[in-house]
Amino acid sequence: MSPNTAPADPATTSEPRSAAEHCAAAETLFTRAREIYPTLSSRAYDQDEYRRCLDWARMHLRLAETITAGASLVLAHRQLRANPDVPLHDTYISAETRPWNEYLKNQHDPAKRPA
């Protein structure tokens, strides 16, 4: 077995994750890439493994950023709706926040998580 061979990546499970969990998964993958780098050879497998770690880490960071942005949008919309002094006549934010509300609700609903 090559020193750069790793077991199945725990960061690719299908279970929903929070932004913090995506950041942790990215950190794990960056650590793995750092471990691979000193022994990186010109073999295609080694190069692919290194690239895969970096690509998946980048994807996890983008997901964390997206989840954070969506949660911020939902929070801002709720704060605006709670303030009667702010008119929300022609805003289309609710079309954006509705899917995020459902997503965040499902993330925190223990009945919907797999056992």
Side-chain angles (χ1 to χ4, degrees), residues 87-102:
L88 294 176
H89 301 294
D90 294 316
T91 60
Y92 296 99
I93 293 177
S94 63
E96 292 292 329
T97 59
R98 191 174 306 114
W100 278 106
N101 275 325
E102 291 172 16

Side-chain angles (χ1 to χ4, degrees), residues 6-39:
D9 181 17
T12 60
T13 60
S14 60
E15 184 178 329
R17 290 204 163 111
S18 68
E21 289 169 320
H22 277 291
C23 286
E27 182 61 33
T28 301
L29 288 162
F30 280 131
T31 300
R32 178 74 185 129
R34 253 188 316 260
E35 291 169 357
I36 291 172
Y37 187 76
T39 61

Side-chain angles (χ1 to χ4, degrees), residues 27-80:
E27 182 61 33
T28 301
L29 288 162
F30 280 131
T31 300
R32 178 74 185 129
R34 253 188 316 260
E35 291 169 357
I36 291 172
Y37 187 76
T39 61
L40 194 61
S41 70
S42 60
R43 288 183 20 204
Y45 175 81
D46 293 338
Q47 296 286 332
D48 290 344
E49 179 68 12
Y50 181 72
R51 193 174 310 113
R52 183 194 67 81
C53 286
L54 293 179
D55 288 346
W56 278 96
R58 185 179 307 116
M59 186 251 348
H60 280 291
L61 289 177
R62 291 181 73 188
L63 285 170
E65 182 181 20
T66 302
I67 291 169
T68 303
S72 297
L73 179 65
V74 168
L75 178 63
H77 185 245
R78 286 185 176 179
Q79 289 172 340
L80 288 173

